[in-house]
Amino acid sequence: MLKKFFMSALSSFIGAWIALVLFGVVVVLVCVGVVAKLGVSSSSAESVSKGSVLSIELSGVIQERETPLDIDYISLVTRDSPKPKTLSSLTMAVREAKVNKNISAIYLKCGMVSAAPATLNALRDVLNDFRESGKKIVAYADTYTNGSYFVASVADSVFLNPAGSLMIQGIGGTSLYYKNLLDKLGVEMQVVKVGTYKSAVEPYIMNEMSTPARAQLDTLYGNIWKFIRTGIAKERKKVTASSIDSLVSKDFVFISPAEDDVENGLVDRLVYERSMDGIIAGMLGKEEKKLNFVSVQTLLSQTTWGQAYTSKDQVAVVYATGEIVDGGGAGTINYQKLVPTIIKLADNDKVKGMVLRVNSPGGAVFGSKQIADALDYFQSKGKSLAVSMGDYAASGGYWISCCSDKIFADPLTITGSIGIFGLIPNVSGLAEKIGVTPQTVSTNPEADFPAFYKPMDEKQYAVMQHYIERGYDEFIKRVSDGRKMDEAKVRQIGEGRVWDAQKAKEIGLVDELGSLQDALEWVAEKEELGEKWSVAVYPSVESSIWEMIPELADIKLNNTFMKALSGKYDEIAVKCVIDMLRQKPLQARMPYIEVRMDNAMSVN
C-alpha cells in the first residue's frame, strides 16, 4: 500500500532525525535555560503595587489553553513565533484583577488579533464582569480589526491613533476546493456520507460550494454578525446595530478617516500612543511617572486557580481541545491519553464533579466513542458532568458532549454537525506519477479492502454506505438518549448541519448560554460543595523534545513528495493532500469553518 511506501521513504531519514534531535537537545537546554532566566528576572522585576494597571496585549493568536508545543524548540532556536496567548490565562488574569485590591484598571493595547468569535466573546464577557467592580477599562489601537474592536467596545474609553483606522467589515470566510488539484495529482477521493449538510467532504470532490453548504453558512455567519453588532451597539450608545451595518456596507468605515470614527461614536478620542500613559494616569489621579503596569503573567502568579490537585472538594476541568485523532500530538485530542485521565478522575474520591471543556470540530469516530465511554463511566460513579463549549463542539465534539448532565455554550459557539462520512482515497494515478507499481497477493478478494491504489466497485461502495449509516444511527441514538429527545427530531436537526449556540439552545442541543465559570459553579452547586470547592485542571501540560519528530517527519515527507513530482506542484498543496491521505476513513468532523475576524483572508 502507499502508506508502506510513505513509511519506507520516511525510514531512510531516521538516522538524520535522531542526530538532529540529539543535537537539538543540547541547543534547546541552553536556550531554555537562558529564556527561563530572562523570564524569572523579568517577572520578579514587576510588582503588583497599589494602583497598578493590568496591561493586556490584545493582538496575535489567542488559543484555548497552553499546549506542549507552545514551548516550541525550533522557535527558541530561531527566535521566531512568540508563544501564543491563551483564553484561559487572559480570563483568569482579568478575574484576579477584579478582586485584587492593588489593581485599579485594565489597559487593552489592541491590534491584529487572531481568534474565533466565541473566544473573543468569552474575553469580552469577563471584561464586562470586571467593570462591575467599578474599575475602569481603557482601550487603544493603531488599528482596530473586527475582533479587537468587538472586545474593546466594552471599554469605558476607546482611543485610536489619528493616523489609524477602524476596520469593521462584517464577517465571512473563504473555502478552498481541491478537486482540480487532486485530479492533477492523480488522487480520487471516494466519499460515502450521511447528512445533506455534511459538507466537510465537498472540497475534495467538488470545485464549488453546494447550495445546502452555502445556505447553512449564510445563516451561521448572519447570526454571529447580528450578535456582534448588537453587542457593540449596546456599549457604544451613539450607534445602533442597523447603523453599524450601514457604516460597514454604505460608508466603508474601514477606510474612512479616523475623525469619522469619532463623529460616528465608535471611538471616543484620537491620540498617539505616547500620550496614553499620561491619560491613564490622569484617570487614576496619579503622576505619570508613578504609573505601574503589570503583565498577565505577573497577575497570574497571584492566583492558584486550577492547581487544587490535593483538595478534597475539587471540581475537575478537563480540556478536550483540537481534532479528535488516534494517537495525535499537541493541539489534538488524543483519546489514548484523555481516556485514562477521565478514568482516574472517576476513581478519585477527591474529585466531586467535572467540567469537560470542549473545543473541537470532531474527528475520528473510534476516538470519539472511546472518550464518550470514559465519560459514561465517570457519570456512573454518581458524579456530575457538565460540558462547557468553546469555539467549536461539533460532530465528534458533540458526540462526546451530548450525554453530559448539562451543556453550557458561548453564544457564538459553533456546534451540531450530527453526521458521519467516510473518505477513502484512490491514489492509483498518484502512484503511477511517482513510479510506484502496487502488486497484491491475498487469500480473499477483500483482504486488502479498502485499498488506496484502486477504486472501489459498486459492492464495496454499498458496504461502506451501510457502515456509515450504521455509525450515523449510533450517533443519533446517543444524542437522543443524552438530550432526552425523540430520534425523529434528532434526525430532523441532524443531517450534518452546524448551528450557532443561540439557535442550538432553541432546538435543544444546548442547555444554557454561559461560560466555563458558569459550568463550574453549576457542578459545585449540584454536588452541594458550598463555598470551599476548588478547581483542578487536567490533563497537565507536558513538553517533550520528542514532539519535534512528527514535525520533522512532515518536512521530510513533503520534500520527498516534491522531488518525486519533479517540483511541479506547490508545497502547501502537496501538504494538503498528504494530510487528506493520513485521515482515518471514518470521520465525525464538521466542515472547516473559520470565521474571519482579523480582516485577513481565512481558510475554512
Side-chain angles (χ1 to χ4, degrees):
M1 293 176 65
L2 196 57
K3 181 177 180 182
K4 292 182 178 179
F5 164 75
F6 293 157
M7 296 307 297
S8 296
L10 222 55
S11 64
S12 64
F13 298 99
I14 288 292
W17 290 346
I18 293 175
L20 178 60
V21 169
L22 290 175
F23 170 75
V25 169
V26 178
V27 175
V28 167
L29 288 176
V30 174
C31 292
V32 170
V34 172
V35 171
K37 184 176 181 181
L38 291 174
V40 169
S41 61
S42 174
S43 178
S44 60
E46 287 189 347
S47 60
V48 188
S49 58
K50 187 174 179 60
S52 295
V53 177
L54 171 61
S55 179
I56 296 178
E57 296 279 349
L58 191 59
S59 60
V61 176
I62 302 177
Q63 58 190 32
E64 179 69 34
R65 70 169 299 208
E66 295 81 0
T67 62
L69 284 182
D70 282 353
I71 306 174
D72 187 341
Y73 303 103
I74 296 175
S75 297
L76 284 173
V77 174
T78 61
R79 302 182 69 181
D80 194 15
S81 300
K83 182 176 178 179
K85 302 171 186 66
T86 67
L87 178 62
S88 59
S89 62
L90 291 173
T91 54
M92 201 185 310
V94 174
R95 287 197 178 94
E96 171 62 23
K98 179 183 177 181
V99 299
N100 193 311
K101 295 180 181 179
N102 289 330
I103 297 294
S104 296
I106 289 178
Y107 178 31
L108 296 176
K109 299 179 69 174
C110 303
M112 302 288 287
V113 62
S114 179
T119 288
L120 296 172
N121 189 56
L123 179 57
R124 191 175 188 269
D125 281 347
V126 78
L127 287 167
N128 246 331
D129 181 66
F130 170 87
R131 289 173 62 192
E132 293 183 4
S133 65
K135 301 177 183 180
K136 300 295 185 181
I137 301 176
V138 179
Y140 169 85
D142 291 331
T143 297
Y144 287 104
T145 61
N146 277 332
S148 60
Y149 183 74
F150 176 52
V151 177
S153 64
V154 304
D156 298 280
S157 299
V158 178
F159 297 89
L160 175 65
N161 190 306
S165 58
L166 182 59
M167 298 179 67
I168 304 179
Q169 296 176 254
I171 60 174
T174 300
S175 300
L176 300 183
Y177 282 66
Y178 303 105
K179 187 177 184 303
N180 284 341
L181 168 65
L182 293 173
D183 289 345
K184 291 178 182 178
L185 291 175
V187 177
E188 175 195 10
M189 302 304 286
Q190 303 169 107
V191 172
V192 284
K193 68 167 186 169
V194 178
T196 303
Y197 297 93
K198 199 66 178 175
S199 56
V201 299
E202 285 189 1
Y204 310 138
I205 60 174
M206 300 170 64
N207 287 320
E208 60 183 26
M209 192 177 292
S210 70
T211 299
R214 186 172 294 278
Q216 75 168 342
L217 288 180
D218 279 342
T219 300
L220 182 70
Y221 290 161
N223 289 345
I224 292 174
W225 175 237
K226 180 181 178 182
F227 183 92
I228 289 171
R229 70 175 189 261
T230 299
I232 293 172
K234 182 179 178 182
E235 301 298 332
R236 307 300 303 175
K237 304 301 183 183
K238 292 183 180 180
V239 295
T240 63
S242 59
S243 68
I244 290 174
D245 257 344
S246 179
L247 287 169
V248 169
S249 303
K250 296 181 180 180
D251 299 337
F252 293 91
V253 66
F254 57 92
I255 56 173
S256 297
E259 290 79 8
D260 288 0
D261 299 325
V262 177
E263 184 178 342
N264 292 326
L266 296 171
V267 170
D268 294 303
R269 187 176 162 191
L270 303 180
V271 299
Y272 289 99
E273 186 176 6
R274 59 180 169 77
S275 302
M276 286 305 300
D277 285 5
I279 291 172
I280 295 172
M283 294 174 66
L284 299 179
K286 298 174 68 73
E287 294 181 36
E288 183 176 344
K289 63 181 180 180
K290 293 184 178 180
L291 199 60
N292 183 44
F293 290 102
V294 297
S295 67
V296 168
Q297 291 303 319
T298 296
L299 206 56
L300 288 179
S301 67
Q302 307 291 304
T303 178
T304 58
W305 189 94
Q307 302 172 35
Y309 299 107
T310 60
S311 172
K312 295 181 180 179
D313 288 319
Q314 63 174 279
V315 178
V317 175
V318 176
Y319 279 89
T321 303
E323 190 168 343
I324 301 170
V325 295
D326 296 344
T332 64
I333 302 174
N334 181 351
Y335 81 88
Q336 293 171 325
K337 293 183 178 179
L338 187 59
V339 166
T341 297
I342 296 172
I343 299 300
K344 287 180 181 177
L345 295 176
D347 294 334
N348 187 342
D349 292 336
K350 295 179 181 178
V351 176
K352 307 303 182 184
M354 179 202 300
V355 175
L356 181 70
R357 175 67 174 181
V358 179
N359 198 338
S360 172
V365 170
F366 184 81
S368 301
K369 288 183 179 181
Q370 307 315 302
I371 297 169
D373 176 73
L375 293 169
D376 291 345
Y377 176 73
F378 182 91
Q379 289 174 288
S380 74
K381 296 291 186 174
K383 301 180 180 184
S384 298
L385 170 65
V387 162
S388 170
M389 294 180 168
D391 300 326
Y392 309 97
S395 206
Y398 194 76
W399 190 310
I400 65 177
S401 301
C402 62
C403 285
S404 60
D405 298 305
K406 202 173 188 70
I407 296 177
F408 293 81
D410 186 273
L412 300 184
T413 294
I414 297 174
T415 188
S417 193
I418 301 168
I420 294 179
F421 66 88
L423 199 61
I424 302 173
N426 167 25
V427 298
S428 55
L430 176 60
E432 183 178 350
K433 286 178 182 289
I434 62 177
V436 175
T437 305
Q439 299 291 300
T440 303
V441 178
S442 62
T443 59
N444 299 83
E446 306 300 336
D448 61 344
F449 176 72
F452 290 174
Y453 47 83
K454 63 182 179 181
M456 292 191 296
D457 58 32
E458 290 185 9
K459 178 183 176 183
Q460 291 169 336
Y461 258 113
V463 168
M464 284 301 300
Q465 185 64 43
H466 177 70
Y467 180 43
I468 295 297
E469 289 174 358
R470 189 170 74 239
Y472 182 62
D473 290 343
E474 185 178 349
F475 197 168
I476 292 292
K477 185 177 188 310
R478 182 166 181 82
V479 175
S480 175
D481 292 343
R483 302 304 300 161
K484 298 178 174 56
M485 190 185 298
D486 290 340
E487 285 194 21
K489 183 178 179 182
V490 178
R491 290 182 184 277
Q492 182 182 1
I493 61 179
E495 292 288 331
R497 181 157 188 168
V498 295
W499 307 91
D500 63 276
Q502 301 167 86
K503 188 63 179 179
K505 183 175 182 293
E506 291 180 23
I507 61 179
L509 294 179
V510 166
D511 294 304
E512 297 288 344
L513 300 180
S515 64
L516 172 61
Q517 186 64 26
D518 293 327
L520 283 166
E521 290 173 0
W522 181 85
V523 170
E525 183 178 352
K526 184 92 176 334
E527 292 296 325
E528 300 179 347
L529 299 181
E531 300 294 328
K532 296 183 179 181
W533 56 280
S534 304
V535 177
V537 174
Y538 302 89
S540 59
V541 177
E542 298 176 357
S543 298
S544 169
I545 186 67
W546 302 106
E547 286 168 358
M548 289 178 65
I549 292 178
E551 290 190 348
L552 294 172
D554 287 345
I555 294 171
K556 286 296 184 182
L557 186 55
N558 289 354
N559 290 341
T560 301
F561 243 95
M562 291 297 292
K563 289 178 181 178
L565 293 169
S566 303
K568 296 178 182 178
Y569 303 99
D570 181 78
E571 184 176 354
I572 295 177
V574 172
K575 183 179 185 304
C576 288
V577 174
I578 293 172
D579 288 342
M580 294 176 205
L581 298 177
R582 281 177 167 169
Q583 292 179 4
K584 293 290 182 179
L586 189 61
Q587 294 277 312
R589 177 167 51 79
M590 65 176 278
Y592 287 109
I593 298 175
E594 185 175 349
V595 184
R596 189 184 65 222
M597 291 287 285
D598 59 357
N599 304 87
M601 189 187 82
S602 62
V603 180
N604 297 347

